Amino acid sequence: MFCEQCEQTASGDGCHQWGACGKSPEVNTTQDILVYCLRGVAPIVLTAKKLGINTHDLDVFTCESLFATMTNVNFNSKRFTNYIQQCLEKREQLKAQIQAISPENAHWSELSNYQPNWDESLVTQGQEAALPFLSQIDHNIDVFSLKLTVLYGIKGAASYTFHAYELGQEDDVVYTFIHEALAAIDRDDLDLPDWVDLALKVGEINLRAMELLDQGHTSTYGHPIPTHVPLNPRLGKAILVSGHDIKQLCAILEQTANTGLTVYTHGELLPAHGYPRLKEKYPHFYGHYGTAWQNQTKDFHRFPGAIIVTTNCLMPPHETYEEKLFTVGPVGYPGLNYLAANEQGNVDYSPVIAKANSLPGFTEESEPRQVMVGFAHNTVLSVADTVIEAVKQGKIRHFFLVGGCDGAKPGRSYYTEFVEKVPEDCIVLTLACGKFRFFDKNLGQIGELPRLMDVGQCNDAYSAIQIALGLANAFEVGVNDLPLSMILSWYEQKAVAVLLTLLYLGIKNIRLGPTLPAFISPNVFKLLSDHYHLQAITTPEADLAACLSGASG
C-alpha cells in the first residue's frame, strides 16, 4: 500500500505496510479503486452537465464516497466495494443518457470505461491501477505533490459539501468544480503554476462549501451564542454522540425526547451546545464527555451508555465497547452496528435507544466542571466595537487563532504550552478538536471578553475567517495587517482544504504543525513559504516572540 494523506503517516513519509490510522492494505487499495473510478466518472458528469442532463445524484454520491475515503472514516472494504459498484452503475446510466441525446459526445477514455474484474483480487487490481499515477513521482515530483494536494483538498471540500447538502444547502458551482478537479488529476498538460492555481481554486471552492454549511447550520439551529457546557455527567442512562454531524445529532435528540435518556456530545460535536434551537427544544441535551478523537478508546470504554459516531474520526474499536458502538452515514468498521438511512435519508435510532436502556448509565455524580462555547462570527462581530476600543486602549495587544486537528503523535503538547504562555493582554480564538489540548483552561477575561473563545468545529473555519475579515474591515486594514497570528495543527484532509482556503484569501505568516505534510515536496513548500510566509512551528517561546514582534520569519 501507499498512503500519505494524513499527518500521522509512518516515519513521516507515508504508510507502506499498514495504515497508521488502522486501515489495512485491502481497505486502502479498495478505497483507491473508488477514487480511481470517480476520476473516470468526472469527465462523463462534466459532459452531461454541458448537455443539460441532471447529474445531482452523482454529484451527491461523489461527495459522500470521497468523504468515506478520508482518514478515520471508513475501515470496511465491503462498504467500499459497494460504493464502487454504485459508482459504476451510475456511470453507465449517465453514459446511456448522453448516448441517447448526443452520441457524438459519447466517446470515453480507458479510465472512464474502467471495469474491475470481480472474480479477481481488488487489491492486486488496485495496485496495478495505481502504478501509472505513482510513477509520476519520478517524472516531476513537484507536480505530483500538487496533484496530491488538490486531491486531498477536494476530499475535504467534498466532505463539507456533503454536510451542507444534508442541511439543504447546495451550489452546482461547487459540485462542478469537484468533478473538474478529479478529472484534472489525470492531465499531463499542466505545468507547476497551473497546479498551484488549481490548488488555490480548491481553496476558493472550499470557502463556498463552508459558507453553505454555515448557512445550513445557522438557518436551521440559529446563530451560536455563548453557552456554558457541563463536563460532569448527571445521573441516568445516556447516549454519546461523536463526530461533526449536527443534523444527525438533532435527529437523535428528537427520537430520544421524553425517553429519560440524556444525550452527551463527544469530540467535534462540543460546539453544538451553542446552537440555541437545540438547547431550547431538547432539555435532555445536557453536556460533553471526553476530549479529542484519539482518546476515544479510553472515553468510549468508560462511557456507560450507547455511542454513535456520525462522521470522522473513528478509530479501530476495542472489544470492550464495540457492542455499544454504532455508526451512520459514510462511517464504518467491520462488525460494528451500522444504521443505514432510509430512502428519505432518515435514520432509525431505536437500536441505539434500546442499547442505552440496557446499560447502567451514570450512577455516581462528580464535581461540577464546565467550559464555554458559542463564539462564532455572529457573536464576536456583534461586539466588534468593544474589541476595537479595547485594542485602541491597549487592553488587547494581539489575537491568536490556535486550532485545527488534534492527533496522537508526539509534538502536539506544543499547542498547550503555546496557549499557556500567551500573555494576559492577548486573546486566544480556537476551533476544531485541536482545542482539547487546552479547552478547559481558565485564561480569565479582558474586560467582559473571555481570553479563550471557542469558535466551533473544524467545519466552522468559515466562522473564524469571517471574524478575521470583519475585524479587518472594522479596523480598515487588510487581514495581514491585523494583530492576529494563526497557529494551526493539521491531521487530515479537511485541514488541507481549510489551509488552501486561507492561502486563496492571501493570508500570510501561518504557522503549521506539528509536522509538515509528507505529500508537500521541498520545492512546493519553498514556493508557499516564499509567497505566503507559510512556515513550520518551532518552539512555543520562539514562535510567540516572533508573532508579538510582528516578525514573519
Side-chain angles (χ1 to χ4, degrees):
M1 66 178 288
F2 172 75
C3 184
E4 56 179 0
Q5 69 175 1
C6 79
E7 192 270 336
Q8 66 180 9
T9 51
S11 302
D13 62 0
C15 295
H16 302 273
Q17 302 298 324
W18 196 277
C21 64
K23 285 181 180 175
S24 68
E26 179 184 12
V27 171
N28 178 75
T29 307
T30 312
Q31 74 173 29
D32 283 351
I33 292 177
L34 173 59
V35 174
Y36 187 74
C37 291
L38 291 172
R39 283 158 46 196
V41 166
I44 302 170
V45 174
L46 294 172
T47 298
K49 286 180 180 292
K50 290 178 181 178
L51 296 173
I53 298 173
N54 188 331
T55 63
H56 183 259
D57 181 54
L58 253 171
D59 294 336
V60 175
F61 174 82
T62 297
C63 291
E64 178 184 349
S65 53
L66 281 175
F67 191 177
T69 69
M70 293 210 326
T71 307
N72 290 88
V73 177
N74 202 307
F75 299 76
N76 193 332
S77 59
K78 291 183 179 179
R79 289 278 300 280
F80 283 117
T81 299
N82 184 49
Y83 274 127
I84 293 168
Q85 291 170 336
Q86 291 183 64
C87 180
L88 298 180
E89 289 172 4
K90 295 175 186 295
R91 182 191 73 183
E92 294 308 307
Q93 291 169 2
L94 192 58
K95 280 184 180 179
Q97 288 182 270
I98 295 172
Q99 178 68 37
I101 67 172
S102 183
E104 66 273 17
N105 285 298
H107 301 286
W108 313 113
S109 68
E110 180 180 348
L111 179 59
S112 295
N113 286 319
Y114 171 75
Q115 183 69 41
N117 185 338
W118 299 108
D119 294 327
E120 296 183 3
S121 168
L122 287 180
V123 173
T124 302
Q125 294 178 71
Q127 292 169 343
E128 293 173 351
L131 285 177
F133 182 61
L134 294 177
S135 67
Q136 298 176 39
I137 297 177
D138 298 325
H139 177 64
N140 190 323
I141 192 172
D142 298 325
V143 166
F144 183 73
S145 171
L146 285 167
K147 282 191 174 187
L148 290 178
T149 303
V150 167
L151 177 59
Y152 300 152
I154 278 298
K155 288 189 178 188
S159 302
Y160 291 136
T161 303
F162 182 70
H163 284 311
Y165 155 76
E166 288 188 304
L167 294 165
Q169 299 292 325
E170 301 177 89
D171 186 342
D172 193 60
V173 169
V174 176
Y175 288 135
T176 299
F177 179 76
I178 289 173
H179 296 295
E180 289 174 347
L182 288 172
I185 297 298
D186 295 285
R187 293 179 61 177
D188 58 9
D189 60 334
L190 302 179
D191 57 18
L192 191 66
D194 293 326
W195 281 104
V196 171
D197 290 343
L198 190 58
L200 294 177
K201 185 67 176 181
V202 173
E204 178 184 359
I205 291 299
N206 185 62
L207 179 64
R208 176 58 178 153
M210 291 192 298
E211 179 185 24
L212 291 169
L213 181 56
D214 181 77
Q215 291 172 354
H217 283 153
T218 56
S219 63
T220 307
Y221 309 112
H223 283 281
I225 58 176
T227 304
H228 290 284
V229 183
L231 298 179
N232 55 296
R234 63 186 183 188
L235 300 180
K237 296 181 181 294
I239 291 176
L240 185 66
V241 189
S242 188
H244 302 74
D245 200 315
I246 296 178
K247 181 179 180 181
Q248 293 304 327
L249 171 63
C250 184
I252 293 162
L253 291 170
E254 184 66 31
Q255 293 181 38
T256 54
N258 303 314
T259 62
L261 295 169
T262 298
V263 175
Y264 298 82
T265 55
H266 177 269
E268 286 267 48
L269 276 171
L270 168 62
H273 291 274
Y275 287 99
R277 292 173 195 163
L278 291 179
K279 297 296 291 184
E280 292 166 2
K281 188 175 180 180
Y282 304 108
H284 63 301
F285 182 34
Y286 170 69
H288 187 80
Y289 185 90
T291 54
W293 66 270
Q294 77 276 3
N295 298 318
Q296 68 185 243
T297 51
K298 176 180 66 176
D299 295 339
F300 290 0
H301 170 71
R302 293 177 178 176
F303 188 77
I307 305 163
I308 308 165
V309 180
T310 63
T311 62
N312 57 313
C313 294
L314 173 69
M315 295 179 68
H318 196 277
E319 61 182 8
T320 59
Y321 61 79
E322 61 184 6
E323 289 188 358
K324 63 182 181 181
L325 184 60
F326 298 78
T327 67
V328 296
V331 188
Y333 197 91
L336 282 189
N337 304 294
Y338 177 66
L339 303 177
N342 60 22
E343 292 183 358
Q344 290 73 43
N346 300 318
V347 176
D348 177 9
Y349 286 102
S350 56
V352 182
I353 295 172
K355 176 59 69 174
N357 281 321
S358 72
L359 295 168
F362 290 100
T363 58
E364 296 181 2
E365 294 182 336
S366 59
E367 182 180 350
R369 296 170 55 230
Q370 63 182 16
V371 293
M372 281 193 75
V373 300
F375 293 95
H377 61 93
N378 193 65
T379 293
V380 175
L381 294 181
S382 70
V383 294
D385 291 344
T386 302
V387 172
I388 293 169
E389 189 61 28
V391 172
K392 289 181 177 178
Q393 293 179 2
K395 295 178 180 178
I396 297 177
R397 180 171 30 151
H398 206 83
F399 297 89
F400 292 94
L401 175 61
V402 186
C405 309
D406 205 354
K409 283 176 66 175
R412 289 182 179 270
S413 60
Y414 164 97
Y415 297 93
T416 308
E417 296 171 19
F418 187 97
V419 169
E420 289 175 342
K421 296 177 185 298
V422 168
E424 293 184 358
D425 59 354
C426 300
I427 282 179
V428 176
L429 302 171
T430 189
L431 79 164
C433 63
K435 65 171 163 274
F436 287 111
R437 295 279 169 171
F438 48 81
F439 80 123
D440 56 352
K441 293 186 178 296
N442 183 4
L443 299 187
Q445 298 190 172
I446 298 178
E448 296 182 357
L449 299 172
R451 287 191 56 232
L452 179 61
M453 299 186 188
D454 184 353
V455 177
Q457 302 178 332
C458 71
N459 298 2
D460 296 312
Y462 174 80
S463 205
I465 290 169
Q466 292 308 304
I467 290 172
L469 296 176
L471 290 177
N473 182 62
F475 277 108
E476 298 182 345
V477 298
V479 173
N480 292 313
D481 298 316
L482 285 172
L484 168 68
S485 299
M486 295 190 180
I487 317 295
L488 305 183
S489 54
W490 84 283
Y491 171 70
E492 42 79 272
Q493 297 78 65
K494 287 181 178 177
V496 176
V498 171
L499 177 61
L500 293 176
T501 295
L502 296 175
L503 298 180
Y504 158 72
L505 292 169
I507 295 176
K508 298 181 178 180
N509 301 317
I510 298 169
R511 285 171 166 80
L512 181 66
T515 59
L516 296 176
F519 54 85
I520 296 291
S521 68
N523 284 339
V524 170
F525 183 74
K526 183 178 185 303
L527 184 152
L528 297 176
S529 180
D530 289 345
H531 284 270
Y532 300 101
H533 299 149
L534 179 67
Q535 55 204 286
I537 60 171
T538 59
T539 67
E541 296 82 0
D543 289 344
L544 187 59
C547 292
L548 291 174
S549 70
S552 62

